[in-house]
Amino acid sequence: MSKDKKEKKRKKRMKKVIAYIIAAILIIAFNILYLSRYFLGVYINYKRNDWETDRNFYAKNIKLDDIEIDKNGSKQIVYSSKKFRKGKANGNVFYYVTHNGNKIYASIKDYKKYVANCDEVTMYAKDCQYSYQSDKGKINATMTGNQIHFYPVSFSKEELKKMKIDIWEKCKNKIFVNEYGTDLHNHVIYHDWKKQKVCTNFLIKNNETNTYGKVKGESLITPGKYDRLYPDSDMYSIDKVEKYDRKDKMMNEAADLYYNKKGEKSGYFTLYGMILFVFLVLLDLVYTVILGIPLGVLFLIFDW
């Protein structure tokens, strides 16, 4: 084989080797660039204790006098007249309807006046609302009486005072976040990043006034600069008008990829990393280690 042909063949092989090496470098660079979002997510998670601010609304700081009564009146409850049943005890006839598992009794006089000639009857239960608000958070509570009546009713001042104190006392150990979720029984099932039990609402019952109700709380604390990055950001107030620059958008994407919907570290990058590792090993062995570098060295040494 002539010297010119050998030279052409050597250059052709060298071009292939260089192409293999460039391809390997480009693929490796692309994947490193892609994985950089994961590494940024790792850094974001590492800085969580420093960056995430405490946005919990601690109800223990509520003062009794700051809880206001917004409403005191009646709640209407409509029953079909067919729901009423007739009973007899000690020779006396009476009527009753079941409400919240309890029997509500009506005399013959009330039955004839309010129920007998109607398809539906409107009854009334005591109902009131309390509220509290500060720059840290707010609560709203609704209390309803267990007894129902044929006429509008309302709570006495003494009943209102007792329920107000009860709400205040039962809020003392509560930490409120925004509407994030509860289980089927409205029990708290969430914790903040400090592992503290938090809630959005809780049920309440007061035996002294024979009432039941629900207390709902919400945090109003303004979020910090990086609070949006963490998976519990939905549990707190969000700055909906905040504008993000390129750096912010990149950090948001990294956080979204790093955390899954449950707020845990996503397994996506672990799987991707394993696949990438295997791929790069095969690529290096086939194209770079076995073919590229050895052949390139031999070509240069022996001038093939």
Side-chain angles (χ1 to χ4, degrees):
M1 184 179 294
S2 65
K3 188 175 180 180
D4 290 341
K5 288 183 178 181
K6 285 184 178 181
E7 182 65 19
K8 288 181 181 180
K9 192 174 181 180
R10 185 184 71 82
K11 288 182 178 180
K12 187 176 181 181
R13 287 177 178 174
M14 280 297 298
K15 287 180 181 181
K16 288 183 178 180
V17 171
I18 293 172
Y20 291 145
I21 294 174
I22 292 174
I25 292 173
L26 290 175
I27 292 173
I28 292 171
F30 172 80
N31 284 281
I32 289 175
L33 181 63
Y34 184 81
L35 281 175
S36 65
R37 292 185 294 177
Y38 173 73
F39 296 130
L40 179 56
V42 173
Y43 180 72
I44 289 172
N45 186 64
Y46 170 75
K47 296 291 290 183
R48 186 168 188 175
N49 289 336
D50 297 327
W51 285 358
E52 188 166 13
T53 57
D54 191 343
R55 290 153 289 156
N56 293 327
F57 171 41
Y58 296 92
K60 64 182 180 181
N61 297 322
I62 295 175
K63 295 181 179 179
L64 178 61
D65 292 340
D66 291 335
I67 299 177
E68 299 179 352
I69 300 173
D70 296 330
K71 173 187 174 184
N72 178 27
S74 298
K75 176 181 179 182
Q76 293 186 357
I77 305 171
V78 179
Y79 284 106
S80 168
S81 59
K82 296 179 181 179
K83 293 288 185 179
F84 283 81
R85 297 289 182 264
K86 186 177 181 180
K88 190 174 183 180
N90 300 323
N92 297 317
V93 176
F94 61 89
Y95 294 86
Y96 68 91
V97 65
T98 302
H99 175 72
N100 289 340
N102 300 317
K103 289 183 178 179
I104 307 300
Y105 298 96
S107 65
I108 294 177
K109 181 180 178 181
D110 284 339
Y111 180 80
K112 288 181 178 180
K113 181 178 180 180
Y114 298 106
V115 183
N117 299 318
C118 302
D119 294 328
E120 292 182 337
V121 56
T122 300
M123 301 190 74
Y124 302 86
K126 294 178 181 179
D127 187 75
C128 66
Q129 294 179 0
Y130 296 84
S131 68
Y132 165 88
Q133 183 165 337
S134 70
D135 58 342
K136 300 292 184 181
K138 65 180 181 179
I139 64 166
N140 291 284
T142 301
M143 299 297 294
T144 304
N146 279 312
Q147 295 292 323
I148 55 176
H149 308 264
F150 288 106
Y151 45 85
V153 288
S154 61
F155 290 107
S156 67
K157 289 184 178 180
E158 187 63 26
E159 288 175 320
L160 291 171
K161 183 178 179 181
K162 287 180 180 179
M163 288 185 292
K164 179 178 177 179
I165 293 174
D166 191 36
I167 292 169
W168 178 63
E169 290 286 349
K170 290 178 179 176
C171 278
K172 283 184 177 180
N173 64 342
K174 296 295 188 295
I175 301 174
F176 288 105
V177 294
N178 292 357
E179 191 65 45
Y180 192 63
T182 54
D183 66 12
L184 295 177
H185 304 289
N186 288 319
H187 295 156
V188 180
I189 54 174
Y190 294 103
H191 296 78
D192 65 1
W193 78 102
K194 294 182 178 180
K195 307 302 180 184
Q196 298 179 112
K197 194 175 183 181
V198 297
C199 69
T200 59
N201 59 74
F202 65 91
L203 301 180
I204 187 171
K205 182 180 180 181
N206 186 273
N207 293 326
E208 282 190 272
T209 56
N210 194 22
T211 56
Y212 65 95
K214 185 177 183 179
V215 180
K216 181 180 178 181
E218 183 179 341
S219 171
L220 300 177
I221 300 173
T222 303
K225 182 178 180 181
Y226 295 112
D227 289 334
R228 70 181 190 278
L229 300 174
Y230 299 104
D232 61 357
S233 60
D234 290 341
M235 296 167 59
Y236 303 96
S237 299
I238 299 175
D239 188 349
K240 297 180 180 179
V241 297
E242 183 180 1
K243 294 182 179 180
Y244 300 132
D245 56 22
R246 192 170 183 178
K247 174 186 173 183
D248 292 329
K249 291 178 180 179
M250 182 174 65
M251 294 181 73
N252 290 343
E253 290 177 1
D256 289 341
L257 286 170
Y258 186 80
Y259 297 108
N260 61 24
K261 292 182 179 180
K262 294 182 179 180
E264 302 167 345
K265 297 176 184 178
S266 175
Y268 171 75
F269 276 107
T270 302
L271 177 62
Y272 178 83
M274 293 174 63
I275 296 173
L276 173 63
F277 177 76
V278 173
F279 175 78
L280 291 180
V281 168
L282 292 177
L283 182 68
D284 287 341
L285 288 175
V286 174
Y287 291 107
T288 306
V289 178
I290 296 177
L291 294 176
I293 295 176
L295 287 177
V297 173
L298 289 174
F299 289 152
L300 292 173
I301 293 176
F302 297 102
D303 194 28
W304 289 359

